[in-house]
Amino acid sequence: MTSASIDLNADLGEGFGRWRLTDDEELLSVVTSANVACGFHAGDAATMRRVCAAAAERGVRVGAQVSYRDLAGFGRRTMDVPADELAAEVAYQIGALEVFARAAGSRVSYVKPHGALYNRAVWDEEQARAVVDGVLLAGGGLPVLSLPDSRLHRAAAAAGLPVVGEAFADRAYTAEGTLVPRTEEGAVVADPEAVVERALAVARDGAVVVSREGTRVPVRARSLCLHGDTPGAVALARRVRSRLEDAGVRVEAFV
C-alpha cells in the first residue's frame, strides 16, 4: 500500500441565474477542493452562496476561481487587461467569494485562475504578477493553484505565497508541459480508463505523460483537476476517486 496523497479539485458554481453547467452537489461528494466561479466567467451571488454552503457542509475547501471579465465567452477568450486593472479584479472576485464562504462558516482557502487567464499566466510574466498582486491585495497570503513551474507559480513564490502544483488527468499536454488549447483537436482526453490511469500515475509517483508531439513530459502535482463541465463528469470523478482509494492513495485537501 502506498502512502501517497492527492487533492481532487473541480470547477463549481459555473452557472448564472437559472442556467447551471455543473452538478455541484454531486461533485462535492467526490472532490476535496472546490474552485468556485466568482462572477466574472460564470457564477452569481446566489450561486456562490449556495455552493459555499454546500461545500462547508461537506468539509470541502473553497477556492476562488478568478477570471477575466468575460461572461459571454465563459472566460475562455484571449483578453488584454492592464496589470493594475487585472489585480483589482482578482482581489474583487476573492473578496466577493469570501463573504459567502464566511457566511457558511468556512473561508476562501486558495486561488486558482480560470480558462484564458489560467493559460496566459503560465507564460505571461506581467499577467502572472498581476494575479499575484490581486491575491496580495485581497490579503491572507492565500496559496495559488496552477501548473508547476509556470510564470504564475514563480511570481507567487517570489511574493511569499504558497504554491500548489496541479495536474490534469483529462487534458492533453504540449511538449512544454502546458495544456493543449481547447480550440484544438484532441485537447480533452475522452477515454475514461486513460483518465483513471493517469490520475493513478500522478497521485502515486508523479507521471510522465506523452505530449501531442510524442515527447515524454514529467507531471508532478499535489492536486488533480477533475472537470465538471464534460459529459459523464460525475461518474468519471467517482471512478477516479474510487480507484485512487483502492490503490491506497489518501484523497485529502492540500490546505
Side-chain angles (χ1 to χ4, degrees):
M1 298 290 281
T2 180
S3 60
S5 66
I6 195 75
D7 169 67
L8 298 180
N9 77 78
D11 302 346
L12 302 180
E14 291 185 328
F16 197 84
R18 297 178 62 185
W19 173 69
R20 293 190 185 185
L21 178 63
T22 51
D23 191 339
D24 298 328
E25 286 72 19
E26 291 300 322
L27 284 168
L28 282 169
S29 69
V30 179
V31 301
T32 46
S33 296
N35 317 317
V36 183
C38 300
F40 272 38
H41 75 280
D44 55 25
T47 302
M48 285 189 280
R49 182 180 184 184
R50 172 178 55 79
V51 176
C52 283
E57 182 180 344
R58 292 164 175 79
V60 175
R61 300 295 185 269
V62 172
Q65 185 156 49
V66 298
S67 170
Y68 288 127
R69 188 188 293 270
D70 182 27
L71 274 177
F74 196 60
R76 288 181 175 163
R77 297 186 292 190
T78 300
M79 304 184 77
D80 291 313
V81 181
D84 59 345
E85 182 179 333
L86 178 58
E89 292 188 339
V90 166
Y92 180 94
Q93 293 174 78
I94 296 169
L97 187 64
E98 180 71 6
V99 168
F100 299 114
R102 288 193 177 276
S106 183
R107 62 186 177 87
V108 173
S109 297
Y110 64 95
V111 177
K112 174 184 173 179
H114 165 81
L117 180 57
Y118 186 100
N119 293 322
R120 181 76 170 266
V122 167
W123 58 268
D124 189 316
E125 187 169 347
E126 182 185 62
Q127 296 284 277
R129 287 180 176 174
V131 172
V132 171
D133 286 344
V135 176
L136 294 172
L137 182 60
L142 295 172
V144 175
L145 178 62
S146 184
L147 287 182
D149 202 34
S150 61
R151 293 288 184 180
L152 178 56
H153 265 201
R154 294 178 191 176
L161 296 174
V163 294
V164 182
E166 178 179 34
F168 294 79
D170 61 353
R171 291 293 306 278
Y173 281 79
T174 69
E176 293 74 31
T178 60
L179 301 180
V180 174
R182 282 180 175 268
T183 53
E184 299 181 15
E185 185 176 355
V188 178
V189 179
D191 180 4
E193 188 58 25
V195 172
V196 171
E197 288 302 320
R198 185 187 288 179
L200 284 167
V202 170
R204 287 185 298 200
D205 46 27
V208 175
V209 301
V210 178
S211 73
R212 64 176 176 179
E213 294 86 1
T215 57
R216 292 165 62 82
V217 179
V219 177
R220 294 187 179 276
R222 176 66 185 86
S223 185
L224 187 68
C225 182
L226 302 175
H227 282 103
D229 59 350
T230 53
V234 172
L236 180 56
R238 285 176 175 157
R239 183 173 174 180
V240 167
R241 176 154 186 166
S242 176
R243 289 281 292 277
L244 287 169
E245 291 176 335
D246 287 347
V249 176
R250 298 191 313 276
V251 178
E252 58 187 9
F254 61 82
V255 289

